[in-house]
Amino acid sequence: MKEEIKILTPAGMLGYGFPIDLFQKGVEMNPDVIVIDSGSTDSGPHKLGLGSMTCSREAYYKDLSFMLEAGYEKKIPIFISSAGGDGTNDHVDAFIDIIHDISKEKGYHFKIAAIYSDVKKEYAVKQIEGGRVTPCGPVEPLTAEEVLAASNIVAQMGVEPFLKVLEEHEDIDIIISGRAYDPVPFAALGIKEGFDPGLCWHMGKVMECGAICAEPSGKSIMGILRRDHFVLEPLNPAERCTVYSVSAHTLYEKTHPYILPGPGGSLDLSEAKFEQLTERSVKVSGSRFIPAPAYTVKMEGAKRVGYRSIYIAGVRDPILIGQIDHVIAHVERTVQEYFSDISRESYQMIFHQFGKNGVMRELEPIKDANPHELCVILEVAAPTQEMATAICSRARTEMLHCPYEGRMATAGNIALPFTPLEIPLGEVCKFNVYHLMEVENPTELFPIQYVEV
């Protein structure tokens, strides 16, 4: 039996880059596995909706080149989850293609397990009809119509597909998965070797963001899993893990301070203990995993809903700034009157006032802010790019020449830093599937293929 497992992660996201010297330092510490996550819904629905990836192929190629070199020379397995950001089947295959190209160039040979996560629409509809799909958070119940409207739907796998690979092929070199619960690839080897699942999940929860849990936050980190605790230490000597930094990051992306639900159960941190082990490392113990009575996975899907155009304006006139809400209301009203032949429900105009409440909007607690300048961004979403740009253009010209009390100039009260003045941004997508689906078998949605490159 293993008494400890060393997990090296070079960064919190594949494609974001990492310090090569620190990564090599971690490799020299002989980790049992190199793990990196590649996915998130944080950047919005366009990846699922349009089939794009979070980072460029060149960025993935560069990061993977260093990881494959270490994996090949040191015989260290590599786990990569949520390929391309959204984890679609196409992006799993895209990652395999990148590894194939690097291996061909360098003369590497790898045995790869590809775990796919696309959900067939007819299967999802059948599950809805069987009452096995429920909302995940404050979203509407899922309908067959929304399933059919989605460009892509993926299911967020738990650890079981990884365990199946490790049990069937102990000599596997690389696992590339589709959409996965973020801690999964970090927890997999420990759970397979019989370590406490609560510790495995908790360590994965913290490590999936790399050394962001350090002070100052960084990229590369080493985690050491032991039978009754785990230890985290950043590889950069200028960084350190502290009780505060690790416990604070444990609260990251959670709706409850102690309970973190995921596929197959919940992580209970009510008795977790954080201790400063050395000046730069923290020891964590007491984490518990509580199995759920029914196994559920989260489905994620997005649909295309139109096209977007924007304009960006700088405002420095204090007279205009003092009346900006009234001016924007006037612009909206004028534009709606001008396009009265178009259904108001067919397009959206959204103004963002950065410097006032552009981030928090109606939740902004500082109501009486008096900024000396504003960045006003109007985004217009409409059924076609031409319509979105036309509405955006009309709103820009109206704001440029809008009359307001105390105005001293008839134009030039907003500054337009970019041309074209209206910037077309292409298609707009929306998450329309964000639901939990009950499954009988945790691996049934996630077919596995083995390939050699």
Side-chain angles (χ1 to χ4, degrees):
M1 288 179 60
K2 287 179 174 288
E3 290 304 316
E4 71 173 30
I5 293 175
K6 291 182 180 179
I7 299 177
L8 167 63
T9 187
M13 183 72 72
L14 184 66
Y16 279 15
F18 49 83
I20 308 308
D21 58 335
L22 296 181
F23 174 67
Q24 292 173 340
K25 174 184 175 182
V27 171
E28 293 304 317
M29 297 169 68
N30 297 314
D32 294 282
V33 61
I34 298 169
V35 182
I36 192 163
D37 183 35
S38 178
S40 175
T41 56
D42 291 357
S43 55
H46 70 282
K47 295 190 295 293
L48 271 171
L50 302 180
S52 60
M53 295 197 290
T54 300
C55 301
S56 67
R57 189 180 193 277
E58 292 74 16
Y60 290 130
Y61 192 104
K62 188 173 184 64
D63 282 6
L64 283 169
S65 294
F66 294 110
M67 295 172 60
L68 296 182
E69 180 182 15
Y72 185 76
E73 293 183 355
K74 290 280 192 175
K75 305 302 179 186
I76 306 170
I78 299 169
F79 297 171
I80 302 167
S81 59
S82 297
D86 56 6
T88 58
N89 292 2
D90 286 345
H91 292 160
V92 172
D93 291 338
F95 274 28
I96 293 175
D97 287 342
I98 294 173
I99 293 174
H100 176 272
D101 290 349
I102 296 171
S103 300
K104 184 177 180 180
E105 177 186 344
K106 299 293 185 179
Y108 301 152
H109 181 274
F110 294 111
K111 185 175 183 179
I112 302 175
I115 310 175
Y116 296 98
S117 62
D118 280 14
V119 178
K120 294 180 179 179
K121 293 182 179 180
E122 57 269 25
Y123 178 88
V125 170
K126 185 177 179 180
Q127 296 297 92
I128 293 170
E129 293 171 347
R132 291 182 288 273
V133 177
T134 56
C136 182
V139 297
E140 295 294 322
L142 188 59
T143 65
E145 290 74 19
E146 289 298 331
V147 167
L148 297 176
S151 301
N152 294 291
I153 302 174
V154 294
Q156 196 181 74
M157 71 185 71
V159 75
E160 289 79 8
F162 274 75
L163 296 180
K164 184 176 181 181
V165 170
L166 295 174
E167 290 164 359
E168 293 179 350
H169 296 270
E170 291 189 356
D171 60 340
I172 201 74
D173 298 307
I174 301 172
I175 300 178
I176 301 174
S177 84
R179 188 68 171 114
Y181 181 49
D182 291 351
V184 158
F186 301 88
L189 186 58
I191 291 177
K192 189 257 182 185
E193 295 293 338
F195 285 74
D196 186 301
L199 295 175
C200 296
W201 286 117
H202 191 180
M203 188 169 79
K205 161 65 182 171
V206 180
M207 286 191 71
E208 57 101 355
C209 288
I212 287 181
C213 64
E215 296 179 350
S217 62
K219 296 266 190 173
S220 305
I221 192 170
M222 182 71 77
I224 303 176
L225 176 65
R226 298 195 174 107
R227 291 291 167 178
D228 62 353
H229 69 275
F230 64 87
V231 177
L232 298 175
E233 183 173 336
L235 296 179
N236 189 338
E239 301 162 4
R240 66 192 191 111
C241 281
T242 67
V243 167
Y244 177 84
S245 68
V246 174
S247 59
H249 193 71
T250 295
L251 295 173
Y252 177 64
E253 293 182 331
K254 291 174 61 185
T255 57
H256 190 285
Y258 298 147
I259 306 299
L260 180 63
S266 297
L267 180 61
D268 183 352
L269 302 175
S270 59
E271 297 180 9
K273 184 178 181 181
F274 302 83
E275 303 173 75
Q276 198 70 45
L277 189 62
T278 69
E279 184 182 359
R280 299 183 55 254
S281 65
V282 166
K283 172 184 175 182
V284 182
S285 60
S287 315
R288 297 183 299 158
F289 180 73
I290 303 174
Y295 197 105
T296 59
V297 296
K298 184 177 72 168
M299 291 192 296
E300 298 169 352
K303 66 178 180 179
R304 302 178 182 191
V305 294
Y307 294 80
R308 177 186 285 127
S309 293
I310 65 170
Y311 77 72
I312 301 173
V315 184
R316 183 62 175 78
D317 175 11
I319 302 172
L320 174 54
I321 289 175
Q323 303 173 63
I324 191 66
D325 292 335
H326 298 294
V327 168
I328 287 176
H330 169 83
V331 171
E332 290 179 322
R333 183 171 59 253
T334 302
V335 171
Q336 290 170 16
E337 292 172 355
Y338 185 80
F339 289 100
S340 59
D341 57 324
I342 299 175
S343 169
R344 182 64 189 89
E345 287 71 33
S346 68
Y347 68 91
Q348 282 184 291
M349 297 173 58
I350 305 173
F351 281 91
H352 305 272
Q353 301 179 51
F354 291 97
K356 183 180 180 184
N357 58 7
V359 176
M360 298 285 284
R361 298 184 69 81
E362 65 275 2
L363 299 178
E364 174 57 58
I366 303 174
K367 304 298 184 184
D368 56 350
N370 187 29
H372 72 278
E373 65 179 10
L374 290 174
C375 175
V376 177
I377 300 177
L378 169 64
E379 61 169 316
V380 177
T384 67
Q385 190 71 74
E386 293 75 16
M387 182 186 295
T389 300
I391 295 171
C392 193
S393 177
R394 182 67 186 87
R396 174 188 60 79
T397 57
E398 186 61 33
M399 188 169 186
L400 182 66
H401 300 288
C402 179
Y404 54 91
E405 186 176 350
R407 186 181 71 173
M408 296 184 179
T410 57
N413 299 304
I414 63 173
L416 301 160
F418 300 109
T419 55
L421 300 174
E422 292 80 41
I423 305 170
L425 295 183
E427 288 189 89
V428 183
C429 297
K430 174 184 179 181
F431 283 119
N432 69 326
V433 180
Y434 203 83
H435 295 74
L436 298 176
M437 179 166 60
E438 184 177 332
V439 295
E440 294 182 6
N441 184 340
T443 63
E444 67 182 79
L445 289 175
F446 310 105
I448 301 169
Q449 291 186 10
Y450 296 96
V451 297
E452 295 194 25
V453 299

